[in-house]
Amino acid sequence: MEKGQKVGVLDVHAKYGESYQKSGYDLLRAVTHWKPTEVDKERSNDPNDKVTATYVLDEGFYQLLTLFDFASPINVEAHLQMWREAVGVQMHFNDIGWRIRALALTVLTFTLGAIGYAYINFGPAHIGAWEVSPALFLPFVGAGLWCAFWFADRGWFHKLLVGSVKEGADQEEILSARGVPTNLGGYITNASPIKFKHWKYWWGKRKGKAVEWHSSLKLNFFYGIGLLLLGATAVAIAIYGPRPTPMNMPPEVPVVNNNITIVPPVPSVLPTPPKTPSP
């Protein structure tokens, strides 16, 4: 260690591994290649004969990681570009998600309109002894399409969005450790969830834990509302039955009043009489 300090080499003393008091240490001194003067100097308790190490490990080898940075230098500009790409991918998948939801709402609107049209304009269908409206089957078709949109959104592109967010968070951590403060993903993650506070009894005692709705739960809630609406429509049609048609409606009784004379409307423009040919 003394020679290393003379030539400018960093030295570290592994103090945690000192074994002066062990029985085999005398044998080590006897077979060492050191010169007798060096052995006597090492055995001496004189502080002037001791070499003070630049760094001391008094607990374990792991302390080297706190003293030196063994990682190779990183290219900050490259990681900054990777962070930009991650943010761009997040925007891309987020845009796809909103396009899917907009298309799903359009399909839901047309499904409800088709249900109303079929209920009003089509007569009942007979299934065995049951008489049902053809509109009863349309909510199930709409529910199938709605679930397909949910799978494409929640089970497909949303997972890709979450992966890109994690990549952006990793790049932000690397850049922040190198003196480039970037925490866009962290701020968005903290601001995104809907937080419900503890609800209270009327006398003021709290019960339950605070609830946070993150993006996955909010997506499930969004698509759950659509399924609930279609299900309620199907139940209402099944309960009220098919709409009566004019054929099975009771005939209307005409009201006769002999004091009223029905006169056909007079046209606003009188027709021109045909011309007779001259002799």
Side-chain angles (χ1 to χ4, degrees), residues 87-98:
V87 173
V89 172
Q90 294 173 27
M91 296 172 61
H92 171 68
F93 287 132
N94 191 51
D95 179 68
I96 291 178
W98 279 110

Side-chain angles (χ1 to χ4, degrees), residues 47-68:
N48 296 325
D49 294 336
K50 298 293 183 181
V51 179
T52 303
T54 306
Y55 299 98
V56 178
L57 307 181
D58 53 2
E59 294 182 3
F61 189 78
Y62 71 92
Q63 290 178 288
L64 278 176
L65 301 177
T66 63
L67 299 175
F68 303 98

Side-chain angles (χ1 to χ4, degrees), residues 54-127:
T54 306
Y55 299 98
V56 178
L57 307 181
D58 53 2
E59 294 182 3
F61 189 78
Y62 71 92
Q63 290 178 288
L64 278 176
L65 301 177
T66 63
L67 299 175
F68 303 98
D69 187 7
F70 294 97
S72 58
I74 67 170
N75 189 340
V76 176
E77 185 61 32
H79 282 275
L80 189 59
Q81 182 61 30
M82 293 172 64
W83 175 77
R84 294 193 189 101
E85 293 293 335
V87 173
V89 172
Q90 294 173 27
M91 296 172 61
H92 171 68
F93 287 132
N94 191 51
D95 179 68
I96 291 178
W98 279 110
R99 289 175 183 268
I100 292 174
R101 286 160 223 153
L103 184 58
L105 288 174
T106 303
V107 172
L108 178 63
T109 303
F110 276 99
T111 301
L112 294 176
I115 292 172
Y117 180 84
Y119 186 78
I120 294 174
N121 294 279
F122 291 96
H126 297 275
I127 303 177

